[in-house]
Amino acid sequence: MRTKTWAALAAALLLAGCSSDGGDGSGDDGRNSTVDPATLCVANSCGEKTVLLTIPDAENLLFSPDGRLFVSGGTNVFEITRNGTEWVATPLLEGSCNFTGLAIQRNTLYANCFDKQLYAARLTAQPRLQPIHQYDIAAPNGLADGPDNTLFLANGPLATNALPNPQVRRLKLDPLDPMKVVTDEVWTRQGLLGPNGVQRSGNTIYVSNTGLGGLAEIRAYDIQPDGSASAGRQVASLLTVPDDFSLVRDSFLVAGFGTSQISLVGPDGSVVSSTSLLSFSFPSQVRLGQPPLFAPTDILVTEKGILGDNVSPIGNRLSVFRRKATTP
């Protein structure tokens, strides 16, 4: 077997050292946002929705640090670009798979799929996804980049071919090769019955969860010095079954799948504002826009629609919710 040259090894070590905290990924984008949550419009009285384009069974969305937009769905992961006034969705996989959570770390895009595999693609001009790891769980869903070359993912809330097995797992990636998974282990099960979305801020992992009696919440787990999970705590109680969510400084933007609306939840866990009931078609993820494609106060929403339906006009789209234009 050929060995790496010292120059190549040094370059790889430099790359690993520069990104050991996952700083180029999705983990801290919301908490470090320059947007004040109090200035956001998350209500039909001030804002309106515009449908951008069709995404079959739209599930999750994520911006890269330089503003590239990726959206997962029931058939593929797509990069979203704009050609004049037309929005274009370019598939990243040669084939088809039911994709869920997305994360970015070390200039690499990761995507979970319900074929029980983790896919990855280098963020070149034309990224191409390939499977890099086989899970032993049935419902790999929400995904977030973690510190020190790790990924965190939720198993749940439901699988079509297995009993619920609620947990958050931690993957350790090779420090020298972001396309290689070194370990895959259960990180925590505490307090979880129906985990879905996963986000990170610093050393805290946030999980949307549906618990006993339909309790809907966002839970927080601190990463301990030894890498293990804290006991976990509820940071928000919700009135609707949540799908995924995103962080905006000390607040949360939540996709209310059960009531088909999006909400801004404050740092005390209470709902600050919401769009009207049924204003979206079963939304699955909500996230602030990012230049150059969107303004920082634009709110991007994946509208999933009916689970498993890739073709009907109910959901299956990417939309933007923004403040109404004022008239002179």
Side-chain angles (χ1 to χ4, degrees), residues 99-121:
F99 285 101
T100 52
L102 300 173
I104 292 175
Q105 186 176 128
R106 288 186 286 170
N107 204 39
T108 303
L109 173 70
Y110 299 93
N112 278 335
C113 187
F114 261 50
D115 68 351
K116 304 181 184 180
Q117 294 190 95
L118 175 70
Y119 288 72

Side-chain angles (χ1 to χ4, degrees), residues 161-206:
N161 58 352
L163 294 174
N165 185 16
Q167 59 185 269
V168 171
R169 300 187 70 86
R170 180 178 58 187
L171 305 183
K172 180 73 173 180
L173 300 167
D174 189 328
L176 302 181
D177 184 359
M179 301 290 284
K180 182 179 179 181
V181 174
V182 178
T183 61
D184 178 353
E185 61 187 359
V186 176
W187 190 61
T188 187
R189 300 180 186 271
Q190 296 188 64
L192 298 172
L193 286 179
N196 197 320
V198 180
Q199 302 294 329
R200 176 179 72 93
S201 176
N203 283 322
T204 302
I205 301 297
Y206 296 87

Side-chain angles (χ1 to χ4, degrees), residues 30-31 36-37 247-252 265-269:
R31 288 306 197 209
D36 182 351
L247 311 174
V248 185
R249 292 195 185 180
D250 56 358
S251 300
F252 305 90
V265 176
D268 63 350

Side-chain angles (χ1 to χ4, degrees), residues 26 60 63 70 80 82 103 150 160 172 201 205 218 263 277 293 306 312-313 320:
S26 62
N60 213 316
F63 285 95
F70 300 94
I80 308 302
R82 189 169 184 173
T150 57
T160 58
K172 180 73 173 180
S201 176
I205 301 297
I218 295 176
S263 301
L277 295 175
L293 292 175
I306 302 170
S312 84
V320 60

Side-chain angles (χ1 to χ4, degrees), residues 189-259:
R189 300 180 186 271
Q190 296 188 64
L192 298 172
L193 286 179
N196 197 320
V198 180
Q199 302 294 329
R200 176 179 72 93
S201 176
N203 283 322
T204 302
I205 301 297
Y206 296 87
V207 184
S208 57
N209 180 53
T210 303
L212 288 172
L215 171 69
E217 63 178 355
I218 295 176
R219 300 187 63 79
Y221 300 86
D222 297 322
I223 303 173
Q224 307 287 6
D226 64 356
S228 64
S230 68
R233 61 192 183 278
Q234 184 186 89
V235 294
S237 178
L238 308 171
L239 297 177
T240 176
V241 174
D243 201 312
D244 216 322
F245 61 100
S246 61
L247 311 174
V248 185
R249 292 195 185 180
D250 56 358
S251 300
F252 305 90
L253 280 172
V254 180
F257 188 86
T259 53

